[in-house]
Amino acid sequence: MAGDFRFPDADTDVTEKNEETEIVVNVGGVRQVFYSDNLNQYPETRLAELLNCLSGGYDSIFSLCDDYDPGKREFYFDRDPDAFKCIIDVYYFGEIHMKKGICPICFKNEMEFWKVDLKFLDDCCKTHLSEKKEELEEIARRVQLILDDLGVDASESRWKRCQKYIWKFLEKPESSYPARVIAVLSFLFILISSVVMCVGTIPDMQVIDEEGNRVEHPTLDSIETACIGWFTMEYVLRLISSPNKLHFALSFMNIVDVLAILPFYVSLTLTHLGAKLMELSNVQQAVQALRIMRIARIFKLARHSSGLQTLTYALKRSFKELGLLLMYLAVGIFVFSALGYTMEQSHPDTLFKSIPQSFWWAIITMTTVGYGDIYPKTTLGKLNAAISFLCGVIAIALPIHPIINNFVRYYNKQRVLETAAKHELELMELSSAEGKAASSKSELGDLASEDKEGLFYSSRLKVSHSDTFIHLLSEEKHYRTRLQSCK
């Protein structure tokens, strides 16, 4: 019987400790021999502690490993063998490199199990670990936000609960169906306002006022007023319900919202009150300038578009590449405009009057626009134009690939994080359901144990418990678990 199996007394091995210079470790079926000279370099690690654990008896042995064979003097560990192959490099090379395909967080846990300090992990691998930590923190933050939205604190006042509900209603379209409807309406108002702003500049859509000036059609003006009223109400409600008013006011997208709303009220104020303080022509010029600022409302689309948000982030992460692109173009524009001016100066009908004027030709040539308003007429000038065109194509094409990679990487990362957050919530719901099922099973087992026939069903209803099965020992005659070995 496996329960009657006894190890030889561990004390008999103590006298041989000094003669033993090696230990055998079996991790997930991978056997490895270690010598004391290597292990003693890092005495605080788990493998180094195995050298002195025999003198402490079985309690000391099984506090470090999952199982032990005294005949073979072999320690068994039910751990990841692939990670272990990387971790043992510290005893031979003094540093650890994480193999491709191993989860950085799992590898960190393995290092903590083997009591190997993270300082031995190479810098390139630490970068992957830090990125994974950031992803997990982002997932945890998203999960917490969802849980906060689902939970209701009974201790909160009615105003706080109402404030939280309005904030979710306006800021989180995924929280409910009415919130999605509001988000779609806001999106439509932005489009309608932008279209009205463009259509209002068509002469056929304008009317003549009393002073003979062309102004927007009253119908378009009414639509514009309705859109501004929606934007104002939306901004005020979001400001009132925001948990952090200062952070809300200084947010970039909220500043854009203010810039989209403010010109309407300023121009309205100037129209009715400004004429008394300044000349009418100055008032009209100020109103016209403010009406141009309405183009800022198109940026409100970024609030409802994850693609635009991803593009913005990709451009932020690509400042270095964009800086290189501008530097290449600036150098090329200066060089080729100077060469073009010098080569075309001898022609009587030259269009290159000065080097600064030649900048415009160099810009439209290197960016492959080519308006044709300024062009070379000499042979050398045409050769210079051809070279500038080719250099412009190369200069623009070089940084495009890193920018696209940043966009794709961030977009895929956001999708993975969203999927991971949903999966985490599903696991939490599943574990909660299993806990309730286990408690109900135990109650049924107690009720069934009252009679003979119930004993059979009780054994079927109980949740089974077993020690960790170690596949390394499948070839042994008796399967030894940690608890059985201690008997």
Side-chain angles (χ1 to χ4, degrees):
M1 295 292 292
D4 298 333
F5 185 82
R6 294 289 187 272
F7 281 147
D9 192 357
D11 294 336
T12 60
D13 297 328
V14 178
T15 57
E16 302 175 4
K17 186 179 75 169
N18 295 330
E19 298 178 2
E20 291 291 339
T21 59
E22 63 182 35
I23 61 171
V24 181
V25 177
N26 192 320
V27 179
V30 177
R31 299 178 75 254
Q32 185 76 24
V33 179
F34 293 97
Y35 295 93
S36 58
D37 293 340
N38 292 332
L39 298 181
N40 287 330
Q41 296 177 4
Y42 307 98
E44 297 180 355
T45 61
R46 184 178 290 267
L47 291 179
E49 293 176 357
L50 292 177
L51 294 172
N52 303 319
C53 70
L54 295 177
S55 60
Y58 290 125
D59 292 337
S60 178
I61 293 173
F62 290 114
S63 66
L64 296 175
C65 64
D66 293 318
D67 210 343
Y68 173 67
D69 188 347
K72 297 180 180 179
R73 303 183 66 84
E74 188 169 350
F75 298 90
Y76 294 92
F77 293 89
D78 192 13
R79 307 297 298 187
D80 183 9
D82 294 330
F84 180 71
K85 292 177 183 178
C86 301
I87 291 173
I88 60 177
D89 287 345
V90 70
Y91 299 101
Y92 302 103
F93 307 110
E95 63 180 8
I96 300 175
H97 286 272
M98 184 170 52
K99 290 183 179 179
K100 187 177 181 180
I102 299 178
C103 175
I105 300 300
C106 294
F107 190 79
K108 175 179 175 291
N109 295 335
E110 289 293 317
M111 291 186 65
E112 291 177 354
F113 174 80
W114 296 108
K115 300 181 180 181
V116 178
D117 200 298
L118 286 175
K119 67 181 180 181
F120 296 108
L121 191 63
D122 195 73
D123 292 338
C124 62
C125 301
K126 286 181 180 178
T127 302
H128 295 298
L129 181 61
S130 61
E131 290 178 356
K132 195 66 178 180
K133 281 184 177 179
E134 291 176 358
E135 291 181 5
L136 292 178
E137 290 174 356
E138 178 66 19
I139 293 172
R141 187 185 65 83
R142 295 189 179 201
V143 171
Q144 187 61 42
L145 287 176
I146 296 175
L147 293 178
D148 291 341
D149 293 340
L150 295 176
V152 177
D153 191 355
S155 62
E156 290 183 346
S157 62
R158 181 177 299 180
W159 165 245
K160 284 290 184 181
R161 291 197 296 269
C162 180
Q163 187 178 7
K164 186 180 294 186
Y165 177 79
I166 296 174
W167 178 255
K168 285 197 308 180
F169 191 71
L170 296 174
E171 283 289 326
K172 300 176 181 179
E174 69 280 359
S175 61
S176 63
Y177 180 76
R180 295 192 194 98
V181 174
I182 293 298
V184 172
L185 284 177
S186 180
F187 183 79
L188 291 177
F189 271 108
I190 295 171
L191 289 181
I192 292 172
S193 177
S194 302
V195 171
V196 167
M197 181 186 67
C198 298
V199 172
T201 59
I202 301 176
D204 295 339
M205 300 298 295
Q206 295 176 343
V207 294
I208 307 298
D209 61 1
E210 298 176 354
E211 299 176 358
N213 299 321
R214 287 187 172 272
V215 296
E216 286 188 0
H217 197 279
T219 303
L220 297 179
D221 197 17
S222 300
I223 297 175
E224 173 75 10
T225 303
C227 293
I228 292 297
W230 173 270
F231 296 150
T232 304
M233 181 184 66
E234 184 183 30
Y235 180 82
V236 171
L237 288 176
R238 289 171 54 240
L239 176 61
I240 293 174
S241 62
S242 64
N244 190 336
K245 302 293 190 297
L246 181 61
H247 181 268
F248 177 88
L250 297 179
S251 176
F252 174 75
M253 291 307 303
N254 295 324
I255 293 175
V256 170
D257 291 343
V258 173
L259 292 178
I261 298 171
L262 195 60
F264 176 83
Y265 293 104
V266 175
S267 61
L268 190 65
T269 303
L270 289 177
T271 302
H272 292 83
L273 302 178
K276 300 178 181 179
L277 303 176
M278 61 182 75
E279 296 180 1
L280 184 61
S281 59
N282 295 335
V283 172
Q284 292 176 347
Q285 292 177 359
V287 170
Q288 188 65 24
L290 289 171
R291 293 181 72 85
I292 294 176
M293 289 181 61
R294 293 185 300 174
I295 60 175
R297 69 189 58 175
I298 198 66
F299 293 106
K300 288 170 64 68
L301 292 175
R303 183 183 299 280
H304 306 282
S305 174
S306 59
L308 289 176
Q309 294 173 5
T310 305
L311 178 61
T312 303
Y313 180 83
L315 292 177
K316 287 181 180 179
R317 295 293 298 269
S318 305
F319 275 156
K320 183 177 180 181
E321 290 79 6
L322 292 174
L324 289 174
L325 172 62
L326 294 177
M327 185 185 70
Y328 295 155
L329 290 177
V331 172
I333 289 168
F334 182 82
V335 171
F336 291 114
S337 61
L339 291 176
Y341 170 75
T342 303
M343 294 173 181
E344 293 292 317
Q345 194 176 14
S346 59
H347 197 279
D349 299 328
T350 181
L351 299 174
F352 294 79
K353 303 299 182 181
S354 64
I355 292 180
Q357 187 180 4
S358 302
F359 285 168
W360 172 247
W361 167 82
I363 291 172
I364 63 176
T365 302
M366 292 191 69
T367 56
T368 70
V369 176
Y371 286 119
D373 52 348
I374 300 177
Y375 56 90
K377 297 182 179 180
T378 63
T379 303
L380 290 177
K382 293 178 180 179
L383 180 61
N384 177 61
I387 296 174
S388 66
F389 169 78
L390 294 176
C391 292
V393 171
I394 295 173
I396 294 174
L398 285 177
I400 293 300
H401 187 66
I403 296 174
I404 294 176
N405 282 343
N406 289 335
F407 177 84
V408 173
R409 187 183 301 113
Y410 181 75
Y411 183 76
N412 292 334
K413 181 180 178 181
Q414 292 302 311
R415 295 185 63 183
V416 168
L417 290 176
E418 290 176 1
T419 304
K422 293 179 181 178
H423 181 63
E424 190 70 21
L425 288 172
E426 291 174 358
L427 289 177
M428 293 173 66
E429 293 177 358
L430 182 61
S431 61
S432 176
E434 288 179 351
K436 293 179 181 178
S439 62
S440 63
K441 285 182 178 181
S442 62
E443 292 175 0
L444 288 174
D446 294 338
L447 293 174
S449 62
E450 293 179 356
D451 54 293
K452 246 189 200 179
E453 188 179 354
L455 289 173
F456 174 74
Y457 295 103
S458 177
S459 62
R460 296 285 301 274
L461 289 171
K462 287 182 181 177
V463 180
S464 62
H465 285 281
S466 61
D467 298 323
T468 303
F469 178 75
I470 304 175
H471 299 280
L472 308 174
L473 306 178
S474 58
E475 297 179 358
E476 297 287 339
K477 185 176 181 181
H478 299 285
Y479 297 139
R480 296 193 302 272
T481 63
R482 175 173 176 178
L483 293 179
Q484 291 171 341
S485 301
C486 296
K487 292 180 181 177

